[in-house]
Amino acid sequence: MSLLDDIAAKLETLSPEAKADVVQMAVDATAHMRFVPLPGPQTDAYLSPADILLYGGQAGGGKSYLLMGLASQEHHSSIIFRRESSQTDGLEKSGKEIIGDTAGFNGTDKEWTWPNGRTLKLAGMKMPDDWLKHAGRERDLFGFDEAGEFLVNQVASLIAWLRAEEGRRTRVVLASNPPRSSDGYWLTEWFAPWLDQNHPLKAVPGELRYAVLVKGMPVWVEGPDEVDIRGNGELVKPLSFTFIPAALADNPFRNTAEYRANLDSLPEPLRSQLKYGDFTAGKIDAVDQLIPSEWVKAAQRRWTAQPPVGVPQCAIGVDVAQGGSDRSVFAPRYDGWFAPLVAIPGVETPDGPSVAGKVLTIRRDLSKVIVDLGGGWGGDALAHLVANDVDAIGYMGVKISLKRTRDNQLQFYNVRTEAYWRFREALDPNQAGGSPIALPPDKELEADLTAPTFETIRMKRGMGIKIEPKDDLVKRIGRSPDRGDAVVMSWWAGPKAATDLKGWEQQTKSRRRGGAAPKVVMGHANRRR
């Protein structure tokens, strides 16, 4: 029940005279407002005290009008973004309808200015670094229309300039339908307490939760008090978050038979996303997306809580972060079954010995360890593992690959392309016997694996495949795909059933007879490979 529903219920208990007085008071209180929010969720969103508000879900819920109403009536210096500036025409139309002649409009700059100094600007932010054009100017309202189309780095970076003079309210409003691609994954993570049924801090619409943004992602805390989130003695004030779902039925101006028919004509999953505001519906893959989303989801549906019987741990992929705010991620693999990933803050793995020590606590069955050497972070860890007689190798994604695709038609531009494409091939449900891969139900892992794009290029020995450079990917999605990289590395090397199944069967039979397992099997397989 919304706040307005609660007030309306109490209103019904009053006498006719008292009810008429309350209604007249409401009319008088809003007489100065050119925009009065619709009863229900739009009013709740208008009055919400949250620093960061997600408002939306279903199409037609009045998202754009909420943004324009807040900017023109509640804030002094506002800017509302669409991903592309050409998409702001709808905002401009609703703004002129609400604002009228109370403010002057500069069509070139797409900015309204009021006699009292209030301003409202419309802008696009198409390229990943376009947020820099707006950095440095303090605002008390940042609005993002169709927020699921933006990159997390764009939104998180601009929040640094959410400021105002003492006593003036500041806020970020993310008005959005469910994101339609992996670029908008961050939106479901920012509001996981409301969107994830299994989240430990599960919240109801309009309820506040508190978090500190670290590397663009929320670290949830218990309340609004300052916290030492990074463990360095620096106290940080958390931001309050909330989600208020908007429904087409809440907006009588848009809830028409024609509009509903238009929504019903859309293909799935777009229809469910827009008609029902379903944030769990599948995303639409980009044409050049390297790994199809449905293949990853299918691998997650195959996952069970326990590894397959008789299959040893084969490999551990290690994406290293030594210090800083990134994470070291460890991906243990039992043939095609992946254990839940282990992610540790970089401050807890500041050097090679600490990374190697963590590997030793996770490692089983003499499994192979694959350490990412990109950026130079993993070299010390690899050296310590080798010094401790661990079967470990380095992974350099930028190195040249001499391999080809399974059908022998295309070359690989580099090792990283080869590793990701090999994992794509393993996920392919159309191969003989189906895909052997089973992935844990990890939303961030899903987003990491489905984020990279690829292109076909001409190489010296014919046509080839080139994956999106990692630096470009990090800039585009606003984070390091460390979970995806760890899983791909874990599959890239180490024993698999295709080469070692007979040895595993021999081990299992030996255990059943009561004899000692032949420990040389895994080592022999590794040497042979």
Side-chain angles (χ1 to χ4, degrees):
M1 179 180 288
S2 74
L3 174 62
L4 207 61
D5 290 334
D6 186 42
I7 294 173
K10 292 178 180 178
L11 187 63
E12 290 302 316
T13 66
L14 301 176
S15 67
E17 295 79 9
K19 186 189 299 185
D21 289 342
V22 172
V23 171
Q24 187 58 50
M25 289 173 59
V27 171
D28 293 342
T30 58
H32 67 288
M33 299 172 64
R34 293 183 61 91
F35 170 78
V36 178
L38 293 166
Q42 196 178 63
T43 292
D44 291 346
Y46 193 93
L47 300 176
S48 173
D51 297 316
I52 301 180
L53 163 70
L54 171 60
Y55 176 72
Q58 295 184 19
K63 300 182 294 295
S64 299
Y65 278 89
L66 172 70
L67 289 170
M68 300 304 301
L70 287 170
S72 62
Q73 296 177 166
E74 301 295 332
H75 291 272
H76 186 72
S77 178
S78 307
I79 186 167
I80 301 175
F81 293 100
R82 283 298 303 261
R83 187 62 194 269
E84 296 193 34
S85 57
S86 61
Q87 298 171 332
T88 60
D89 53 350
L91 289 168
E92 183 178 331
K93 180 180 178 181
S94 59
K96 289 178 177 178
E97 181 182 340
I98 292 172
I99 297 166
D101 59 1
T102 62
F105 181 68
N106 183 326
T108 302
D109 295 334
K110 296 187 179 182
E111 186 166 14
W112 283 272
T113 303
W114 280 257
N116 64 359
R118 171 181 284 154
T119 62
L120 164 57
K121 182 175 177 60
L122 306 179
M125 200 156 46
K126 182 177 181 178
M127 303 306 294
D129 285 340
D130 278 354
W131 66 270
L132 290 167
K133 300 175 183 178
H134 307 281
R137 180 171 179 180
E138 296 181 0
R139 309 274 187 179
D140 53 16
L141 170 65
F142 283 115
F144 296 86
D145 197 25
E146 294 303 339
E149 297 179 358
F150 291 85
L151 306 177
V152 63
N153 189 54
Q154 294 174 318
V155 178
S157 298
L158 279 176
I159 289 177
W161 282 273
L162 184 68
R163 305 169 191 164
E165 61 188 45
E166 188 173 357
R168 189 183 295 279
R169 169 74 191 275
T170 63
R171 70 176 123 192
V172 176
V173 178
L174 305 167
S176 189
N177 301 125
R180 296 195 293 270
S181 74
S182 59
D183 285 354
Y185 152 77
W186 63 274
L187 199 62
T188 56
E189 185 70 12
W190 276 30
F191 296 92
W194 297 267
L195 302 176
D196 182 355
Q197 295 298 316
N198 299 315
H199 198 277
L201 294 176
K202 187 168 172 53
V204 298
E207 188 178 3
L208 298 183
R209 288 289 183 267
Y210 296 87
V212 175
L213 290 177
V214 178
K215 298 288 286 187
M217 284 295 157
V219 177
W220 300 101
V221 297
E222 292 184 357
D225 296 332
E226 292 185 335
V227 291
D228 179 10
I229 199 71
R230 296 178 176 85
N232 59 3
E234 179 186 359
L235 294 178
V236 181
K237 180 72 173 174
L239 297 167
S240 57
F241 289 69
T242 199
F243 167 53
I244 296 177
L248 176 60
D250 301 322
N251 185 358
F253 301 103
R254 185 55 66 88
N255 187 17
T256 64
E258 293 79 10
Y259 191 76
R260 293 194 299 272
N262 288 338
L263 292 178
D264 283 330
S265 68
L266 295 171
E268 292 291 359
L270 188 58
R271 176 179 175 274
S272 293
Q273 289 175 322
L274 298 183
K275 183 173 182 179
Y276 303 116
D278 187 355
F279 280 84
T280 65
K283 295 184 267 299
I284 300 173
D285 287 356
V287 175
D288 56 353
Q289 183 171 308
L290 193 148
I291 297 179
S293 299
E294 182 51 37
W295 293 7
V296 177
K297 289 179 180 294
Q300 292 180 323
R301 290 193 293 269
R302 285 191 292 270
W303 193 81
T304 59
Q306 298 297 326
V309 176
V311 176
Q313 186 185 97
C314 301
I316 303 175
V318 183
D319 189 87
V320 181
Q322 292 186 185
S325 55
D326 284 337
R327 301 165 301 183
S328 289
V329 178
F330 306 81
R333 175 177 65 81
Y334 295 70
D335 192 26
W337 185 91
F338 286 79
L341 275 60
V342 178
I344 301 175
V347 293
E348 297 180 21
T349 54
D351 50 31
S354 61
V355 175
K358 187 61 183 177
V359 168
L360 294 177
T361 66
I362 299 172
R363 188 175 184 242
R364 304 286 185 273
D365 305 317
L366 303 178
S367 64
K368 197 175 196 71
V369 181
I370 302 95
V371 181
D372 187 7
L373 302 183
W377 297 114
D380 193 26
L382 177 62
H384 278 82
L385 289 168
V386 172
N388 283 276
D389 295 324
V390 174
D391 182 12
I393 61 171
Y395 170 91
M396 285 288 289
V398 297
K399 279 191 173 183
I400 294 173
S401 170
L402 299 178
K403 304 293 181 62
R404 286 180 171 267
T405 54
R406 180 187 290 167
D407 59 11
N408 206 37
Q409 296 299 307
L410 296 169
Q411 306 169 57
F412 297 120
Y413 178 76
N414 56 19
V415 168
R416 185 164 175 269
T417 304
E418 174 197 338
Y420 264 84
W421 198 267
R422 292 292 188 227
F423 196 63
R424 172 196 162 101
E425 291 176 335
L427 286 167
D428 187 351
N430 300 312
Q431 62 187 293
S435 171
I437 304 298
L439 296 172
D442 182 325
K443 287 292 184 183
E444 190 172 351
L445 172 60
E446 176 191 337
D448 283 358
L449 290 173
T450 57
T453 61
F454 77 100
E455 60 179 324
T456 54
I457 60 173
R458 184 166 296 281
M459 299 176 64
K460 289 183 178 179
R461 294 175 288 119
M463 296 301 295
I465 300 169
K466 179 181 180 182
I467 192 174
E468 180 179 12
K470 185 171 181 178
D471 288 347
D472 292 353
L473 175 62
V474 170
K475 178 186 268 190
R476 178 166 64 81
I477 67 175
R479 68 179 191 280
S480 173
D482 45 24
R483 300 174 89 84
D485 284 348
V487 163
V488 167
M489 285 188 292
S490 188
W491 182 255
W492 178 69
K496 299 180 178 69
T499 54
D500 291 78
L501 181 59
K502 289 184 179 179
W504 301 341
E505 291 173 344
Q506 179 185 350
Q507 287 180 311
T508 302
K509 289 178 181 178
S510 178
R511 290 191 184 102
R512 287 174 180 169
R513 292 194 300 266
K519 296 181 180 179
V520 297
V521 172
M522 290 287 291
H524 173 70
N526 287 338
R527 285 195 300 272
R528 189 172 65 244
R529 291 173 64 83

